[in-house]
Amino acid sequence: RERINGEYLLVAVETEDVIFEVTQYRPIYVDGSVQAPGQQDFAIGMTARQAIAAASGLETFEQRYGLSAGELRLHPDVLMSQLVGVLAEIAVQRAILDGSTEIDVSALNALNAPRDQIDAAISLAKEQAELSGTILKEETSFFERSVRESEARVIAALRREESMMEILLAEEAEVARVEDLFERRLTTSDQLVSVRRNYLVITQRMGDIQAERLLAESELRELVLRQNQSARERSLQIQDRLGDLSR
């Protein structure tokens, strides 16, 4: 509206003639482990990090607990919490070493620690033991399946070798028979060449089958070696970890 001659009249206003400007935003509140919790001025584009900085930053160990970081690490409650965690991991590692998913919680139950803390540690330890047992079972099943498949290939190669050996012996006898006939001029040289050629083909095929059998046996030995090596390495790793935890 515009006042003309003492009267207010409606006047058309274009969009570009109107400008709004926010002079002040609502404040924000920063609470929690900051040095100056409470109301803080808000500005466009302010991040959480900037809001914490406006509240004078996070509290230090000394401010929050009245202890230095070194004193806090030696606090009885902290030490007990660490002991609970160590005993829980020892129980898990021993269960894995024994190939079991059942853990011995007697050491945990004997601690003079809050019951809810012990129960939480036992629950987590059981989950870890079960998960490790599942992974170990899958790994063992994979190796066992691979070994069975490799053994089947070895057996199949041996059977092919036995069958080919029978054929080779028969061809060898046929060559000897034809050579005898040729010496007595009862057959032609073409016949002799033919049976010798067949014998050479069978001999080459026999060599290929023997190579397949040797390869299958080598793969089987490698699988068994890997399986045993994996078990030994896992056992050594667990024993080393148990040694570290017991120190």
Side-chain angles (χ1 to χ4, degrees):
R1 296 187 303 172
E2 184 175 337
R3 187 171 184 178
I4 301 176
N5 297 327
E7 296 183 5
Y8 288 99
L9 302 176
L10 296 177
V11 179
V13 179
E14 300 295 334
T15 304
E16 57 271 15
D17 295 331
V18 180
I19 298 175
F20 288 95
E21 183 176 351
V22 179
T23 59
Q24 186 176 7
Y25 290 92
R26 289 182 179 178
I28 61 172
Y29 292 86
V30 182
D31 246 334
S33 301
V34 292
Q35 298 190 46
Q39 178 177 311
Q40 303 295 337
D41 293 334
F42 175 76
I44 293 296
M46 176 180 279
T47 64
R49 186 185 297 274
Q50 291 170 335
I52 292 172
S56 301
L58 296 173
E59 290 181 329
T60 62
F61 279 112
E62 290 84 352
Q63 292 170 324
R64 186 172 186 182
Y65 299 103
L67 299 171
S68 67
E71 291 172 333
L72 184 63
R73 284 193 295 269
L74 297 176
H75 192 277
D77 291 344
V78 175
L79 294 176
M80 179 59 73
S81 177
Q82 292 175 344
L83 180 58
V84 169
V86 168
L87 291 180
E89 186 176 352
I90 288 176
V92 172
Q93 296 293 341
R94 285 177 175 169
I96 297 172
L97 189 61
D98 295 338
S100 172
T101 58
E102 297 295 328
I103 63 172
D104 182 3
V105 298
S106 57
L108 284 166
N109 286 325
L111 289 177
N112 186 24
R115 189 66 245 177
D116 58 341
Q117 189 178 56
I118 293 176
D119 290 341
I122 290 175
S123 177
L124 180 59
K126 288 181 177 180
E127 290 179 4
Q128 291 175 337
E130 290 175 0
L131 178 60
S132 298
T134 300
I135 294 173
L136 179 59
K137 184 177 180 180
E138 290 176 354
E139 180 182 332
T140 303
S141 297
F142 169 77
F143 274 119
E144 290 177 349
R145 184 170 62 254
S146 299
V147 167
R148 287 195 300 270
E149 292 173 353
S150 185
E151 287 175 341
R153 288 194 292 272
V154 171
I155 293 172
L158 284 171
R159 288 174 177 171
R160 288 195 298 272
E161 187 175 348
E162 290 175 359
S163 298
M164 189 57 63
M165 179 60 72
E166 294 178 359
I167 297 173
L168 183 61
L169 292 175
E171 287 295 325
E172 187 176 357
E174 178 65 10
V175 169
R177 186 185 70 82
V178 174
E179 285 178 344
D180 180 63
L181 292 175
F182 181 75
E183 288 176 359
R184 290 186 291 159
R185 301 181 183 280
L186 297 177
T187 189
T188 64
S189 60
D190 290 342
Q191 180 66 21
L192 179 59
V193 169
S194 177
V195 295
R196 284 177 173 174
R197 184 182 295 113
N198 289 340
Y199 178 74
L200 290 175
V201 171
I202 297 301
T203 301
Q204 183 177 2
R205 179 58 184 150
M206 182 65 173
D208 293 340
I209 291 176
Q210 287 176 332
E212 292 175 2
R213 188 255 302 166
L214 291 173
L215 177 60
E217 290 176 342
S218 176
E219 291 176 346
L220 176 59
R221 286 193 298 271
E222 183 179 352
L223 278 171
V224 173
L225 179 63
R226 283 173 53 195
Q227 184 178 21
N228 294 336
Q229 184 177 0
S230 176
R232 284 195 301 271
E233 289 178 352
R234 181 168 51 251
S235 177
L236 289 174
Q237 289 174 353
I238 294 174
Q239 290 174 1
D240 288 344
R241 183 56 182 161
L242 286 172
D244 293 339
L245 293 170
S246 299
R247 291 190 181 96

